[in-house]
Amino acid sequence: MSFDSGASYEFFRKALKSKDKFAVLAAMFGERIASQAVRELARLQTYYPGQRTELDYTKYTIWLYPNEKWNEPLLFYTGFGVDHFSRVMKGFTTTMAPSGRDAVRLYRNCVLPSSLWLPEKVRKYSHDWDVFGLEDMVAIDNAMDFVSNAAILMFVFFGAVLLRLPPGRGDLKGTSERTHSIAESQFISTLPGYVPRISEPHSVKYNKIRDFAKKKANMTVAEYIEKLTQYVVEFNGQPHPDLRKPKIQVWRDGVANYPIILPTGMQQLKAVFALTYEVRLTREGVQVNNLKYNSEELHLAYRVYSGKVIVKLDPDDITNVLVILPKYELPIAAQLTTFRLPWPVSLEVFMFVRERLLAKNGGDLNNIDMEYAFLSELDELQSGYTPTPNKSVRTAAQAATHASNLPPVVSDIASNPEASDDLLDFLRQTRI
């Protein structure tokens, strides 16, 4: 039949439907690709809150300033964790380039109470956002951040059944996809700097949309997180699409019948929500990411063991680690010995500051006062953007975003080595 005969759309739809798409794709690309793209998988139903959590990042982005003194906005993604049964948002995180560190943070924010990880300015909303606890199953896609060793070890430790969904099959984690779509239409699309998702992300049309949105951007990451926290509380209070009562009430009623499991103890939290390294124990302790750690107990352990050990490093606090030794029942805590830090610092901040110091000192850090130099560079990082050799703007912005959560370093103190030592001692005593 030719096209001139006036064949209808319904005719072609029926003709294509009669074809075995699985057989065609299997012949062209193999059964593995055909199974991922076409074959329907059995739905995994859930019957109570906390049974299954879906983790995913938004496909749309938003232009944000890392801090108030940054001179140019950058594109940020938002990661959400959604409970499959109650549809509530359990947690979120914001980043420019999702990595294993961000996957650890996102899952931690879904498991722990929001009062433990929300910024102090918005912690007042944690009373209405009482969604936390471990689940039986975790659904993720095959993004590099979720399938990293740090993330997989974290899931395995808690005994969660990990559902790694095929690429391009958003229908298999439809709850998180719908949540992203609702958050986009109700909230994020109304913010200045919002960049929608389109089918051709590298087209001229997309570049024009992105550049136009960049001109409207006027929010910092901290301001966006505050607005997003308010929206999440409102979203959780909206009616459940099937049960006709607020999603948060569905969660609370379900928890009353199926009590949640919550990890407890600082050692357990620091051991699980952490990056994992395998290094050798030496006389000077352990070293990861150019950071040296040691303690009296770890030094005593070296006298009887000097082989490979497992080091657990919290990406948000590099001041101490947990070292797991063979035949030792409990991990050993070790403190940073490279230099002193007045408060917990994220790994992104340290790595970026170290690169700046290496660039300024010809690649040698042995002849400088690291404590004074770190405070001085941190003050500069909080004050705005200055180019760093061999480092991208994105890397600097990621570090500046984390640095904005730290107490400000007064410029005149940071410029005086003796005063900076007094500042360190004072902050350590007051435990800021």
Side-chain angles (χ1 to χ4, degrees):
M1 181 182 293
S2 65
F3 286 101
D4 296 334
S5 61
S8 66
Y9 170 79
E10 185 65 17
F11 169 81
F12 284 105
R13 191 186 70 82
K14 289 183 178 180
L16 291 174
K17 191 175 182 180
S18 65
K19 296 291 184 181
D20 188 345
K21 297 180 182 179
F22 179 83
V24 174
L25 283 176
M28 296 175 62
F29 304 107
E31 291 190 1
R32 180 180 178 183
I33 299 299
S35 297
Q36 293 179 351
V38 177
R39 179 165 290 171
E40 293 186 5
L41 302 180
R43 279 189 187 274
L44 292 173
Q45 300 290 351
T46 54
Y47 304 97
Y48 56 87
Q51 190 175 5
R52 173 180 171 184
T53 294
E54 298 180 3
L55 305 177
D56 198 11
Y57 280 90
T58 58
K59 306 302 184 292
Y60 46 87
T61 55
I62 183 170
W63 291 100
L64 299 172
Y65 290 88
N67 57 39
E68 295 179 352
K69 299 181 181 179
W70 199 264
N71 57 10
E72 186 177 359
L74 292 168
L75 286 173
F76 281 79
Y77 297 86
T78 303
F80 288 119
V82 185
D83 180 69
H84 182 262
F85 183 85
S86 65
R87 313 291 177 88
V88 296
M89 291 189 192
K90 295 188 67 178
F92 66 79
T93 187
T94 305
T95 181
M96 282 174 294
S99 63
R101 295 190 291 265
D102 298 304
V104 170
R105 292 179 177 117
L106 176 57
Y107 189 60
R108 176 199 62 192
N109 294 352
C110 293
V111 171
L112 299 182
S114 57
S115 59
L116 297 180
W117 56 268
L118 277 178
E120 186 175 357
K121 189 175 182 180
V122 294
R123 206 164 291 169
K124 58 186 178 181
Y125 296 104
S126 60
H127 177 73
D128 298 318
W129 192 5
D130 52 335
V131 182
F132 51 85
L134 297 172
E135 58 285 294
D136 299 332
M137 296 178 286
V138 178
I140 60 173
D141 55 26
N142 282 295
M144 293 300 295
D145 53 326
F146 287 127
V147 299
S148 64
N149 290 338
I152 296 298
L153 286 171
M154 177 179 59
F155 297 133
V156 169
F157 181 91
F158 285 131
V161 176
L162 195 59
L163 307 176
R164 287 183 59 178
L165 305 179
R169 295 300 301 272
D171 56 312
L172 301 180
K173 50 182 177 62
T175 302
S176 63
E177 295 289 344
R178 284 191 295 271
T179 301
H180 285 169
S181 178
I182 294 172
E184 179 182 18
S185 60
Q186 289 184 346
F187 169 64
I188 296 182
S189 62
T190 66
L191 300 177
Y194 156 71
V195 182
R197 170 183 55 177
I198 63 174
S199 58
E200 299 177 359
H202 302 292
S203 62
V204 176
K205 177 183 177 182
Y206 176 75
N207 292 335
K208 290 182 178 179
I209 294 174
R210 187 182 62 184
D211 294 340
F212 180 74
K214 184 177 181 179
K215 296 178 181 178
K216 292 188 173 183
N218 60 8
M219 289 193 304
T220 64
V221 174
E223 292 171 342
Y224 171 70
I225 289 178
E226 182 177 3
K227 293 179 179 295
L228 180 59
T229 303
Q230 296 175 6
Y231 170 74
V232 169
V233 174
E234 295 174 1
F235 174 86
N236 289 344
Q238 295 174 3
H240 190 281
D242 300 324
L243 303 178
R244 297 183 179 181
K245 59 181 176 180
K247 302 184 186 75
I248 189 68
Q249 193 60 46
V250 174
W251 170 272
R252 291 167 179 165
D253 293 344
V255 168
N257 297 319
Y258 300 93
I260 59 174
I261 301 175
L262 184 66
T264 57
M266 290 305 299
Q267 274 202 341
Q268 184 182 24
L269 298 181
K270 289 187 70 67
V272 179
F273 300 115
L275 304 178
T276 305
Y277 303 88
E278 185 180 25
V279 300
R280 181 171 294 276
L281 177 61
T282 66
R283 186 183 302 275
E284 296 180 351
V286 294
Q287 180 174 344
V288 293
N289 289 322
N290 299 296
L291 292 166
K292 294 181 179 180
Y293 297 88
N294 206 351
S295 65
E296 183 177 350
E297 187 178 358
L298 188 61
H299 183 69
L300 292 174
Y302 168 73
R303 295 185 178 183
V304 296
Y305 179 81
S306 60
K308 292 290 186 66
V309 297
I310 300 298
V311 178
K312 293 287 189 174
L313 173 64
D314 184 350
D316 288 332
D317 182 8
I318 65 168
T319 57
N320 55 80
V321 296
L322 291 177
V323 183
I324 303 175
L325 282 77
K327 299 182 180 179
Y328 275 67
E329 294 183 0
L330 297 176
I332 298 176
Q335 291 74 44
L336 182 66
T337 59
T338 307
F339 59 95
R340 297 180 300 170
L341 287 175
W343 45 65
V345 171
S346 73
L347 186 58
E348 288 90 337
V349 171
F350 166 76
M351 293 178 67
F352 180 75
V353 169
R354 184 177 182 276
E355 290 296 329
R356 287 181 65 90
L357 292 176
L358 285 171
K360 289 184 177 181
N361 294 276
D364 184 14
L365 301 180
N366 294 324
N367 299 320
I368 65 172
D369 185 344
M370 281 294 294
E371 297 172 12
Y372 153 66
F374 186 91
L375 282 177
S376 185
E377 290 298 326
L378 180 59
D379 176 60
E380 189 170 337
L381 184 62
Q382 292 176 330
S383 300
Y385 171 67
T386 55
T388 304
N390 302 322
K391 301 302 290 185
S392 65
V393 176
R394 175 181 292 181
T395 304
Q398 190 81 355
T401 303
H402 289 272
S404 64
N405 297 324
L406 299 174
V409 180
V410 183
S411 298
D412 57 349
I413 294 180
S415 62
N416 186 341
E418 295 180 359
S420 65
D421 289 338
D422 295 336
L423 174 64
L424 285 165
D425 293 335
F426 170 75
L427 293 173
R428 188 172 296 102
Q429 293 171 7
T430 56
R431 299 182 66 83
I432 292 182

